[in-house]
Amino acid sequence: PKTGFLMSVLGIIFIHGNCTSEEDMWKILKKQQIYPGKKHRIFGEPRKLMTQYLVKLKYLEYRQVPESDPPRYEFLWGPQAHAETSKMKVLEYLAKINKTTPSNFSILYQEALKDEQERAKARDEDNTDIADQSTEGSPEKSPAASTTPVDT
């Protein structure tokens, strides 16, 4: 249940341009009968879940909007969310619960495709870097790196 809740929250953030105000987040969650400060029967108190637990695990970032007086807050994807999921996976989740396909969210779908391409390119570059590093210190190129004992 917490994973489904997190995917919904990440979807809300994605739909709102990768950052959403706390006010907008609660407007949407209230439509799903999830209220701040009111214990949910499955995952407990949602504000605490989002602003403490999911922030601590780095799935969400919760920050004050700069120069807001009185202070206002906003949500963003955290580094753990970026590491474990993608915009496309979140869009697929949203499409599934809305009984549609990801391509029906055309602008979001294009952004998710671009994100997938960037992730693939980054993976390819990381793999190339790892392959380059593995040949740099090979025994063929560096006899001093040999682990064979040498009699003196």
Side-chain angles (χ1 to χ4, degrees), residues 1-5 34 38-46 49:
K2 287 180 183 175
T3 302
F5 178 72
I34 299 171
K38 183 178 177 187
K39 188 173 181 174
H40 189 274
R41 63 182 175 84
I42 297 173
F43 44 77
E45 204 283 295
L49 175 63

Side-chain angles (χ1 to χ4, degrees), residues 79-138:
Q80 198 63 35
H82 285 287
E84 290 185 23
T85 194
S86 67
K87 291 178 180 179
M88 187 61 76
K89 288 179 185 173
V90 169
L91 192 57
E92 288 168 351
Y93 175 82
L94 293 175
K96 183 178 178 181
I97 63 174
N98 286 294
K99 297 181 175 115
T100 187
T101 62
S103 59
N104 281 346
F105 301 95
S106 60
I107 294 172
L108 296 175
Y109 185 69
Q110 292 303 318
E111 184 177 340
L113 280 176
K114 183 179 175 190
D115 182 66
E116 290 291 307
Q117 292 167 345
E118 290 170 0
R119 286 169 163 262
K121 184 178 177 185
R123 277 192 304 273
D124 289 345
E125 289 172 359
D126 286 348
N127 289 338
T128 301
D129 290 346
I130 291 169
D132 290 346
Q133 290 173 5
S134 69
T135 58
E136 285 176 7
S138 67

Side-chain angles (χ1 to χ4, degrees), residues 9-21 24 28 63 74-77 82 87 107-108 111:
V9 168
L10 293 174
I12 293 166
I13 295 168
F14 179 35
I15 288 168
H16 283 98
N18 302 308
C19 178
T20 191
S21 71
D24 287 343
I28 294 167
R63 67 181 186 196
E74 60 191 3
F75 290 98
L76 297 95
W77 284 35
H82 285 287
K87 291 178 180 179
I107 294 172
L108 296 175
E111 184 177 340

